[in-house]
Amino acid sequence: MSVKLAIIYYSSYGTNHQMASIAAEATREAGAEVRLLKAPETAPDEVINSQDAWKAQAEKTADVPEVTPEDMEWANAYLISAPTRFGVMASQMRAFIDTLGGLWFNGKLANKPVTAMTSAQNTHGGQETTLQSIYTTVMHWGGFVVAPGYTDEVIFKTGGNPYGYSHTAGEEFSDDAKAAIGHQARRLVEVAGKLA
């Protein structure tokens, strides 16, 4: 069985979209079948259109499919990337996750490996608690958390977060940042392949 990976992101201004795209490239190169998907937007159009950067990101990614429960059932591994909002994942990602009760009840989310990434406006903006909030959900599903830990030296070069890559919004993606995302994503594919 091959690795069927759903990379699910939410991104208001583009940071998590970039992270998900870097991960998608790395996992395709590692042999996974990948679906790059976005969480549905819940903010009103008038709010989005009132902020130029948010509107531009929405237009830029209009062709990216929205994730569905069917995608979640299809996949045998998940990479979730969502920005930090007050120390937990953005409400758009939470709103999508909250639609998955039927799949959870029927065991369709169990026994699948999951890794997570996030971003915030500053270095200590709640990234670790956001990642833990995603992993708490994974544990309720009966999934397997595949955190990067300290399995590659690049993790120390990008802030030393063992829970998952986190990016400071507005900063460029350095070669080390791309390497850390790629490492975490490939680690997920490796674990998913063993489980499959």
Side-chain angles (χ1 to χ4, degrees), residues 113-134:
V114 186
T115 199
M117 302 184 299
T118 191
S119 65
Q121 287 294 326
N122 54 61
T123 306
H124 299 289
Q127 291 98 320
E128 291 181 356
T129 56
T130 296
L131 294 169
Q132 290 171 344
S133 76
I134 294 169

Side-chain angles (χ1 to χ4, degrees), residues 155-169:
I155 293 159
F156 293 100
K157 296 177 182 177
T158 56
N161 184 341
Y163 305 103
Y165 180 76
S166 60
H167 194 80
T168 303

Side-chain angles (χ1 to χ4, degrees), residues 73-95:
E73 189 168 357
W74 165 84
N76 58 15
Y78 309 122
L79 188 153
I80 299 170
S81 187
T84 295
R85 296 288 186 268
F86 303 109
V88 295
M89 71 185 90
S91 62
Q92 290 85 346
M93 185 64 76
R94 184 77 246 171

